[in-house]
Tab-separated table of all heavy atoms in Angstrom:
chain	number	residue	atom	x	y	z
R	11	VAL	N	99.312	70.955	104.804
R	11	VAL	CA	98.528	70.501	103.623
R	11	VAL	C	98.892	71.506	102.444
R	11	VAL	O	98.639	72.736	102.554
R	11	VAL	CB	97.092	70.677	103.869
R	11	VAL	CG1	96.212	70.303	102.705
R	11	VAL	CG2	96.517	69.921	105.149
R	12	GLY	N	99.461	70.830	101.365
R	12	GLY	CA	99.968	71.721	100.308
R	12	GLY	C	101.387	72.118	100.460
R	12	GLY	O	101.672	73.009	101.300
R	13	VAL	N	102.350	71.404	99.866
R	13	VAL	CA	103.682	71.805	99.976
R	13	VAL	C	104.299	72.365	98.764
R	13	VAL	O	105.407	71.919	98.155
R	13	VAL	CB	104.646	70.617	100.528
R	13	VAL	CG1	104.360	70.382	101.999
R	13	VAL	CG2	104.339	69.294	99.724
R	14	GLY	N	103.576	73.409	98.223
R	14	GLY	CA	104.213	74.178	97.055
R	14	GLY	C	105.151	75.148	97.694
R	14	GLY	O	105.794	74.990	98.665
R	15	LEU	N	105.244	76.357	97.052
R	15	LEU	CA	106.167	77.394	97.476
R	15	LEU	C	106.031	77.698	98.918
R	15	LEU	O	107.111	77.706	99.768
R	15	LEU	CB	105.848	78.717	96.705
R	15	LEU	CG	106.625	79.892	97.126
R	15	LEU	CD1	108.032	79.916	96.577
R	15	LEU	CD2	105.890	81.232	96.764
R	16	MET	N	104.868	77.995	99.408
R	16	MET	CA	104.669	78.479	100.797
R	16	MET	C	104.693	77.186	101.814
R	16	MET	O	105.262	77.380	102.806
R	16	MET	CB	103.359	79.225	100.899
R	16	MET	CG	103.257	80.341	101.848
R	16	MET	SD	104.713	81.469	101.538
R	16	MET	CE	104.654	82.440	103.016
R	17	GLY	N	103.973	76.179	101.376
R	17	GLY	CA	103.875	74.940	102.305
R	17	GLY	C	105.278	74.393	102.517
R	17	GLY	O	105.541	73.908	103.640
R	18	GLU	N	106.081	74.353	101.556
R	18	GLU	CA	107.481	73.865	101.774
R	18	GLU	C	108.252	74.675	102.770
R	18	GLU	O	108.887	74.252	103.717
R	18	GLU	CB	108.261	73.804	100.491
R	18	GLU	CG	109.731	73.237	100.761
R	18	GLU	CD	110.561	73.017	99.595
R	18	GLU	OE1	110.127	73.316	98.455
R	18	GLU	OE2	111.784	72.687	99.751
R	19	ARG	N	108.000	76.041	102.749
R	19	ARG	CA	108.628	76.852	103.789
R	19	ARG	C	108.017	76.655	105.085
R	19	ARG	O	108.786	76.605	106.108
R	19	ARG	CB	108.366	78.435	103.433
R	19	ARG	CG	109.195	78.948	102.347
R	19	ARG	CD	108.968	80.377	102.139
R	19	ARG	NE	109.578	80.782	100.955
R	19	ARG	CZ	109.199	82.014	100.363
R	19	ARG	NH1	108.442	82.922	100.901
R	19	ARG	NH2	109.786	82.342	99.144
R	20	HIS	N	106.742	76.495	105.172
R	20	HIS	CA	106.088	76.103	106.574
R	20	HIS	C	106.743	74.890	107.049
R	20	HIS	O	107.103	74.818	108.237
R	20	HIS	CB	104.549	76.029	106.357
R	20	HIS	CG	103.816	77.286	106.238
R	20	HIS	ND1	102.754	77.611	107.051
R	20	HIS	CD2	104.070	78.472	105.541
R	20	HIS	CE1	102.249	78.848	106.836
R	20	HIS	NE2	102.978	79.378	105.875
R	36	ALA	N	100.846	66.595	103.265
R	36	ALA	CA	99.881	66.126	102.206
R	36	ALA	C	99.997	67.094	101.025
R	36	ALA	O	99.909	68.217	101.174
R	36	ALA	CB	98.518	66.125	102.805
R	37	ASP	N	100.080	66.418	99.799
R	37	ASP	CA	99.952	67.163	98.567
R	37	ASP	C	99.608	66.208	97.569
R	37	ASP	O	100.001	65.033	97.432
R	37	ASP	CB	101.401	67.854	98.252
R	37	ASP	CG	101.302	69.002	97.236
R	37	ASP	OD1	100.762	68.652	96.019
R	37	ASP	OD2	101.509	70.123	97.587
R	38	VAL	N	98.870	66.729	96.548
R	38	VAL	CA	98.406	65.768	95.359
R	38	VAL	C	99.574	65.477	94.460
R	38	VAL	O	99.574	64.496	93.712
R	38	VAL	CB	97.244	66.513	94.570
R	38	VAL	CG1	95.960	66.391	95.228
R	38	VAL	CG2	97.554	67.904	94.160
R	39	ASP	N	100.570	66.237	94.584
R	39	ASP	CA	101.899	66.118	93.811
R	39	ASP	C	102.672	65.004	94.466
R	39	ASP	O	103.477	65.389	95.434
R	39	ASP	CB	102.566	67.303	93.616
R	39	ASP	CG	103.909	67.203	92.623
R	39	ASP	OD1	104.330	66.115	92.581
R	39	ASP	OD2	104.290	68.290	92.140
R	42	ARG	N	106.599	65.234	94.622
R	42	ARG	CA	107.059	66.364	95.494
R	42	ARG	C	106.911	66.156	96.997
R	42	ARG	O	107.789	66.287	97.883
R	42	ARG	CB	106.369	67.567	95.012
R	42	ARG	CG	106.685	68.852	95.781
R	42	ARG	CD	106.100	70.147	95.152
R	42	ARG	NE	106.419	71.280	95.986
R	42	ARG	CZ	107.559	72.029	95.778
R	42	ARG	NH1	108.378	71.761	94.886
R	42	ARG	NH2	107.847	73.048	96.605
R	55	TYR	N	101.464	62.025	102.459
R	55	TYR	CA	100.148	61.640	102.058
R	55	TYR	C	99.728	62.466	100.745
R	55	TYR	O	100.205	63.534	100.566
R	55	TYR	CB	99.065	61.993	103.118
R	55	TYR	CG	99.117	61.248	104.398
R	55	TYR	CD1	100.076	61.597	105.406
R	55	TYR	CD2	98.384	60.082	104.651
R	55	TYR	CE1	100.125	60.928	106.538
R	55	TYR	CE2	98.558	59.390	105.802
R	55	TYR	CZ	99.427	59.858	106.813
R	55	TYR	OH	99.477	59.126	107.981
R	56	THR	N	98.976	61.782	99.882
R	56	THR	CA	98.443	62.518	98.692
R	56	THR	C	96.995	62.933	98.932
R	56	THR	O	96.443	63.609	98.071
R	56	THR	CB	98.533	61.595	97.474
R	56	THR	OG1	97.887	60.403	97.702
R	56	THR	CG2	99.923	61.400	97.087
R	57	ASP	N	96.427	62.522	100.097
R	57	ASP	CA	95.029	62.963	100.368
R	57	ASP	C	95.046	63.542	101.647
R	57	ASP	O	95.324	62.790	102.698
R	57	ASP	CB	94.105	61.749	100.262
R	57	ASP	CG	92.736	62.117	100.606
R	57	ASP	OD1	92.388	63.285	100.565
R	57	ASP	OD2	91.984	61.122	101.052
R	58	PHE	N	94.613	64.847	101.933
R	58	PHE	CA	94.689	65.392	103.224
R	58	PHE	C	93.600	64.852	104.192
R	58	PHE	O	93.922	64.866	105.418
R	58	PHE	CB	94.551	66.895	103.205
R	58	PHE	CG	93.428	67.569	102.653
R	58	PHE	CD1	92.252	67.652	103.319
R	58	PHE	CD2	93.384	68.130	101.268
R	58	PHE	CE1	91.088	68.231	102.829
R	58	PHE	CE2	92.319	68.752	100.806
R	58	PHE	CZ	91.184	68.725	101.475
R	72	ILE	N	97.565	74.981	106.571
R	72	ILE	CA	96.951	74.797	105.135
R	72	ILE	C	97.581	75.755	104.283
R	72	ILE	O	97.368	77.031	104.384
R	72	ILE	CB	95.455	74.867	105.338
R	72	ILE	CG1	94.967	73.855	106.239
R	72	ILE	CG2	94.839	74.781	103.911
R	72	ILE	CD1	93.435	73.851	106.544
R	73	CYS	N	98.228	75.327	103.278
R	73	CYS	CA	98.976	76.109	102.281
R	73	CYS	C	98.477	75.868	100.771
R	73	CYS	O	99.320	75.700	99.898
R	73	CYS	CB	100.488	76.015	102.478
R	73	CYS	SG	101.059	76.434	104.068
R	74	LEU	N	97.275	75.659	100.719
R	74	LEU	CA	96.764	75.312	99.394
R	74	LEU	C	96.505	76.605	98.562
R	74	LEU	O	96.416	77.715	99.140
R	74	LEU	CB	95.400	74.595	99.567
R	74	LEU	CG	95.484	73.236	100.193
R	74	LEU	CD1	94.139	72.527	100.396
R	74	LEU	CD2	96.248	72.240	99.275
R	75	PRO	N	96.242	76.521	97.253
R	75	PRO	CA	95.960	77.642	96.494
R	75	PRO	C	94.659	78.516	97.063
R	75	PRO	O	93.848	77.790	97.734
R	75	PRO	CB	95.622	77.044	95.061
R	75	PRO	CG	96.466	75.740	95.025
R	75	PRO	CD	96.347	75.311	96.430
R	76	ASP	N	94.714	79.772	96.799
R	76	ASP	CA	93.769	80.567	97.430
R	76	ASP	C	92.233	80.067	97.458
R	76	ASP	O	91.556	80.188	98.378
R	76	ASP	CB	93.663	82.012	96.765
R	76	ASP	CG	94.976	82.732	96.833
R	76	ASP	OD1	95.868	82.250	97.610
R	76	ASP	OD2	95.100	83.826	96.361
R	77	ASP	N	91.862	79.570	96.190
R	77	ASP	CA	90.489	79.176	96.130
R	77	ASP	C	90.247	77.749	96.604
R	77	ASP	O	89.154	77.189	96.381
R	77	ASP	CB	89.950	79.261	94.691
R	77	ASP	CG	90.940	78.431	93.698
R	77	ASP	OD1	92.057	78.121	94.158
R	77	ASP	OD2	90.487	78.067	92.591
R	78	ARG	N	91.221	77.026	97.275
R	78	ARG	CA	91.043	75.695	97.748
R	78	ARG	C	91.115	75.610	99.250
R	78	ARG	O	91.214	74.452	99.750
R	78	ARG	CB	92.047	74.809	97.130
R	78	ARG	CG	92.411	74.923	95.600
R	78	ARG	CD	91.628	73.863	94.831
R	78	ARG	NE	91.808	74.108	93.482
R	78	ARG	CZ	92.822	73.709	92.737
R	78	ARG	NH1	93.753	72.847	93.311
R	78	ARG	NH2	92.914	73.955	91.374
R	79	HIS	N	90.854	76.772	99.884
R	79	HIS	CA	91.082	76.669	101.389
R	79	HIS	C	89.850	75.987	102.127
R	79	HIS	O	90.009	75.466	103.245
R	79	HIS	CB	91.226	78.084	101.976
R	79	HIS	CG	92.558	78.606	101.518
R	79	HIS	ND1	93.105	79.830	102.033
R	79	HIS	CD2	93.601	78.157	100.797
R	79	HIS	CE1	94.201	80.048	101.411
R	79	HIS	NE2	94.610	79.040	100.698
R	81	GLU	N	87.483	73.445	101.777
R	81	GLU	CA	87.323	72.035	102.078
R	81	GLU	C	88.363	71.544	103.159
R	81	GLU	O	87.951	70.880	104.087
R	81	GLU	CB	87.446	71.229	100.858
R	81	GLU	CG	87.215	69.672	101.032
R	81	GLU	CD	87.643	68.765	99.821
R	81	GLU	OE1	87.797	69.437	98.715
R	81	GLU	OE2	87.637	67.546	99.996
R	95	LEU	N	96.062	78.981	108.581
R	95	LEU	CA	95.567	78.973	107.254
R	95	LEU	C	96.223	80.087	106.506
R	95	LEU	O	96.115	81.246	106.921
R	95	LEU	CB	94.018	79.113	107.297
R	95	LEU	CG	93.275	79.193	105.980
R	95	LEU	CD1	93.551	78.040	105.094
R	95	LEU	CD2	91.824	79.335	106.251
R	96	GLU	N	96.869	79.754	105.311
R	96	GLU	CA	97.456	80.875	104.557
R	96	GLU	C	96.406	81.898	104.153
R	96	GLU	O	95.215	81.648	104.019
R	96	GLU	CB	98.133	80.306	103.278
R	96	GLU	CG	99.636	80.132	103.457
R	96	GLU	CD	100.408	81.375	103.889
R	96	GLU	OE1	99.830	82.552	103.707
R	96	GLU	OE2	101.489	81.323	104.379
R	97	LYS	N	96.834	83.055	103.819
R	97	LYS	CA	96.014	84.187	103.275
R	97	LYS	C	95.667	83.919	101.882
R	97	LYS	O	96.496	83.348	101.193
R	97	LYS	CB	96.531	85.633	103.642
R	97	LYS	CG	98.040	85.765	103.161
R	97	LYS	CD	98.457	85.572	101.772
R	97	LYS	CE	97.870	86.398	100.623
R	97	LYS	NZ	98.429	85.984	99.263
R	98	PRO	N	94.673	84.492	101.318
R	98	PRO	CA	93.513	84.977	101.937
R	98	PRO	C	92.695	83.870	102.610
R	98	PRO	O	92.811	82.713	102.123
R	98	PRO	CB	92.727	85.754	100.835
R	98	PRO	CG	92.971	84.860	99.615
R	98	PRO	CD	94.530	84.412	99.813
R	123	GLY	N	97.356	83.586	107.753
R	123	GLY	CA	98.687	83.896	107.421
R	123	GLY	C	98.895	85.262	106.944
R	123	GLY	O	99.573	85.512	105.914
R	124	HIS	N	98.462	86.269	107.595
R	124	HIS	CA	98.678	87.703	107.251
R	124	HIS	C	100.000	88.066	107.901
R	124	HIS	O	100.194	88.669	108.922
R	124	HIS	CB	97.662	88.628	107.681
R	124	HIS	CG	96.399	88.524	106.882
R	124	HIS	ND1	96.261	89.071	105.631
R	124	HIS	CD2	95.249	87.831	107.065
R	124	HIS	CE1	95.074	88.777	105.094
R	124	HIS	NE2	94.453	88.086	105.959
R	125	LEU	N	101.129	87.567	107.280
R	125	LEU	CA	102.332	87.571	107.919
R	125	LEU	C	103.086	88.981	108.259
R	125	LEU	O	103.950	89.094	109.044
R	125	LEU	CB	103.436	86.635	107.264
R	125	LEU	CG	103.666	86.755	105.737
R	125	LEU	CD1	104.369	88.085	105.477
R	125	LEU	CD2	104.620	85.690	105.396
R	126	LEU	N	102.504	89.994	107.570
R	126	LEU	CA	103.069	91.326	107.891
R	126	LEU	C	102.933	91.804	109.203
R	126	LEU	O	103.712	92.558	109.797
R	126	LEU	CB	102.561	92.334	106.859
R	126	LEU	CG	102.639	92.140	105.361
R	126	LEU	CD1	102.038	93.183	104.542
R	126	LEU	CD2	104.242	91.899	105.101
R	164	ARG	N	101.416	82.058	87.992
R	164	ARG	CA	101.238	80.987	88.932
R	164	ARG	C	99.788	80.786	89.417
R	164	ARG	O	99.512	79.691	89.819
R	164	ARG	CB	102.321	81.282	90.046
R	164	ARG	CG	103.704	81.290	89.677
R	164	ARG	CD	104.670	81.215	90.750
R	164	ARG	NE	104.376	80.078	91.671
R	164	ARG	CZ	104.211	80.135	92.848
R	164	ARG	NH1	104.103	81.325	93.505
R	164	ARG	NH2	104.050	79.003	93.598
R	165	TYR	N	99.058	81.846	89.479
R	165	TYR	CA	97.776	81.766	90.173
R	165	TYR	C	96.585	81.741	89.517
R	165	TYR	O	95.571	81.383	89.951
R	165	TYR	CB	97.719	82.773	91.337
R	165	TYR	CG	98.796	82.619	92.370
R	165	TYR	CD1	99.980	83.373	92.442
R	165	TYR	CD2	98.679	81.569	93.237
R	165	TYR	CE1	100.965	83.142	93.277
R	165	TYR	CE2	99.651	81.353	94.255
R	165	TYR	CZ	100.833	82.143	94.327
R	165	TYR	OH	101.787	81.919	95.174
R	169	THR	N	92.299	82.829	91.617
R	169	THR	CA	92.330	84.074	92.410
R	169	THR	C	92.394	85.320	91.575
R	169	THR	O	92.259	85.223	90.462
R	169	THR	CB	93.370	83.852	93.516
R	169	THR	OG1	93.378	84.966	94.489
R	169	THR	CG2	94.826	84.035	92.815
R	173	MET	N	92.503	89.671	95.423
R	173	MET	CA	92.355	88.712	96.473
R	173	MET	C	93.728	88.189	96.875
R	173	MET	O	94.069	87.937	98.108
R	173	MET	CB	91.564	87.496	96.026
R	173	MET	CG	90.067	87.667	96.061
R	173	MET	SD	89.420	87.932	97.794
R	173	MET	CE	87.811	88.461	97.395
R	174	HIS	N	94.637	88.010	95.947
R	174	HIS	CA	95.829	87.448	96.245
R	174	HIS	C	96.889	88.418	96.885
R	174	HIS	O	97.634	88.118	97.816
R	174	HIS	CB	96.525	86.811	95.012
R	174	HIS	CG	97.810	86.032	95.329
R	174	HIS	ND1	97.759	84.832	95.928
R	174	HIS	CD2	99.051	86.324	95.006
R	174	HIS	CE1	99.025	84.406	96.015
R	174	HIS	NE2	99.802	85.304	95.547
R	178	HIS	N	96.913	91.665	101.857
R	178	HIS	CA	98.074	92.058	102.767
R	178	HIS	C	97.859	93.476	103.295
R	178	HIS	O	97.896	93.606	104.561
R	178	HIS	CB	99.447	91.911	102.049
R	178	HIS	CG	99.887	90.449	101.907
R	178	HIS	ND1	100.201	89.709	102.970
R	178	HIS	CD2	100.192	89.743	100.777
R	178	HIS	CE1	100.622	88.542	102.543
R	178	HIS	NE2	100.652	88.572	101.246
R	278	HIS	N	110.619	88.294	104.446
R	278	HIS	CA	109.403	87.504	104.562
R	278	HIS	C	109.757	85.984	104.643
R	278	HIS	O	109.207	85.396	105.530
R	278	HIS	CB	108.432	87.789	103.331
R	278	HIS	CG	108.034	89.227	103.243
R	278	HIS	ND1	107.582	89.845	104.301
R	278	HIS	CD2	108.152	90.084	102.169
R	278	HIS	CE1	107.278	91.080	103.911
R	278	HIS	NE2	107.560	91.299	102.679
R	290	VAL	N	107.713	84.593	108.170
R	290	VAL	CA	106.972	83.338	108.017
R	290	VAL	C	107.349	82.457	109.373
R	290	VAL	O	106.493	81.822	109.865
R	290	VAL	CB	107.268	82.649	106.727
R	290	VAL	CG1	108.556	82.156	106.631
R	290	VAL	CG2	106.181	81.521	106.525
R	293	GLU	N	105.662	84.041	112.354
R	293	GLU	CA	104.205	83.751	112.365
R	293	GLU	C	103.979	82.317	112.843
R	293	GLU	O	103.050	82.103	113.667
R	293	GLU	CB	103.766	83.944	110.950
R	293	GLU	CG	102.426	83.281	110.512
R	293	GLU	CD	102.201	83.413	108.990
R	293	GLU	OE1	102.778	82.574	108.322
R	293	GLU	OE2	101.491	84.263	108.559
Z	1	NAD	N1	102.019	85.000	103.147
Z	1	NAD	C1	102.543	85.239	102.019
Z	1	NAD	O1	103.348	86.113	101.832
Z	1	NAD	C2	102.286	84.272	100.862
Z	1	NAD	C3	103.122	84.141	99.775
Z	1	NAD	C4	102.794	83.235	98.763
Z	1	NAD	C5	101.717	82.474	98.911
Z	1	NAD	N2	100.888	82.576	99.918
Z	1	NAD	C6	99.646	81.822	100.078
Z	1	NAD	O2	99.969	80.508	100.265
Z	1	NAD	C7	98.954	79.625	99.699
Z	1	NAD	C8	99.649	78.660	98.793
Z	1	NAD	O3	100.410	79.498	97.803
Z	1	NAD	P1	101.654	78.871	97.042
Z	1	NAD	O4	102.311	79.953	96.404
Z	1	NAD	O5	102.477	77.961	97.984
Z	1	NAD	O6	100.981	77.875	95.923
Z	1	NAD	P2	101.627	76.690	95.174
Z	1	NAD	O7	100.829	76.532	93.884
Z	1	NAD	O8	103.073	76.857	95.040
Z	1	NAD	O9	101.414	75.392	95.999
Z	1	NAD	C9	99.975	74.728	96.316
Z	1	NAD	C10	100.324	73.354	96.550
Z	1	NAD	O10	99.059	72.752	96.860
Z	1	NAD	C11	98.909	71.518	96.157
Z	1	NAD	N3	97.581	71.159	96.126
Z	1	NAD	C12	96.578	71.755	95.319
Z	1	NAD	N4	95.343	71.076	95.590
Z	1	NAD	C13	95.610	70.218	96.403
Z	1	NAD	C14	94.760	69.259	97.235
Z	1	NAD	N5	93.444	69.233	96.923
Z	1	NAD	N6	95.310	68.489	98.172
Z	1	NAD	C15	96.588	68.662	98.427
Z	1	NAD	N7	97.416	69.447	97.751
Z	1	NAD	C16	96.907	70.226	96.869
Z	1	NAD	C17	99.693	71.686	94.903
Z	1	NAD	O11	100.019	70.455	94.349
Z	1	NAD	C18	100.897	72.636	95.237
Z	1	NAD	O12	101.953	71.790	95.692
Z	1	NAD	C19	98.064	80.565	98.907
Z	1	NAD	O13	96.905	80.791	99.659
Z	1	NAD	C20	98.788	81.914	98.764
Z	1	NAD	O14	98.000	83.069	98.703
Z	1	NAD	C21	101.198	83.496	100.940
Side-chain angles (χ1 to χ4, degrees):
V11 182
V13 283
L15 173 80
M16 216 54 195
E18 181 176 356
R19 283 187 196 163
H20 281 230
D37 199 296
V38 286
D39 183 337
R42 184 174 173 85
Y55 294 86
T56 52
D57 175 24
F58 61 77
I72 299 173
C73 302
L74 295 174
D76 293 2
D77 59 336
R78 312 259 174 91
H79 290 181
E81 184 188 346
L95 176 57
E96 261 304 342
K97 51 54 63 178
H124 287 281
L125 54 62
L126 299 181
R164 299 188 59 235
Y165 292 104
T169 190
M173 280 297 167
H174 187 70
H178 280 297
H278 303 310
V290 69
E293 164 189 80

